[in-house]
Amino acid sequence: MRIVFISQSDSGGAGLAALRLHCALMSEGVDSWLLCFNKSCTEKNVIAVNRPFCWKIVEHLPLPIYYNK
């Protein structure tokens, strides 16, 4: 079985949870990977992925989904 976690980063609340699950699965011998935009750890099978150019444009648009209302 291959497990892939996708997270914004490997730090913070959800990022740390994904990293802990990834490490626990790795210790049990499962083929686990963590893909993130902001990598700050040195764990095995954690890969920093570059954001596509279109994402940089979408980040700066005044969309209501990006506001915490």
Side-chain angles (χ1 to χ4, degrees):
M1 179 184 331
R2 178 175 290 173
I3 306 293
V4 178
F5 294 95
I6 302 172
S7 181
Q8 176 74 24
S9 69
D10 58 359
S11 60
L16 283 176
L19 183 61
R20 287 181 186 139
L21 286 170
H22 163 70
C23 291
L25 288 170
M26 292 279 294
S27 69
E28 293 296 319
V30 176
D31 186 14
S32 176
W33 295 82
L34 173 60
L35 304 178
C36 59
F37 291 127
N38 303 316
K39 180 180 176 183
S40 61
C41 73
T42 58
E43 292 292 327
K44 183 179 176 186
N45 293 353
V46 176
I47 299 175
V49 180
N50 291 331
R51 293 181 187 194
F53 178 73
C54 63
W55 184 261
K56 293 178 183 179
I57 294 171
V58 170
E59 277 184 327
H60 297 295
L61 293 176
L63 300 174
I65 58 171
Y66 288 104
Y67 297 121
N68 293 325
K69 291 184 179 179

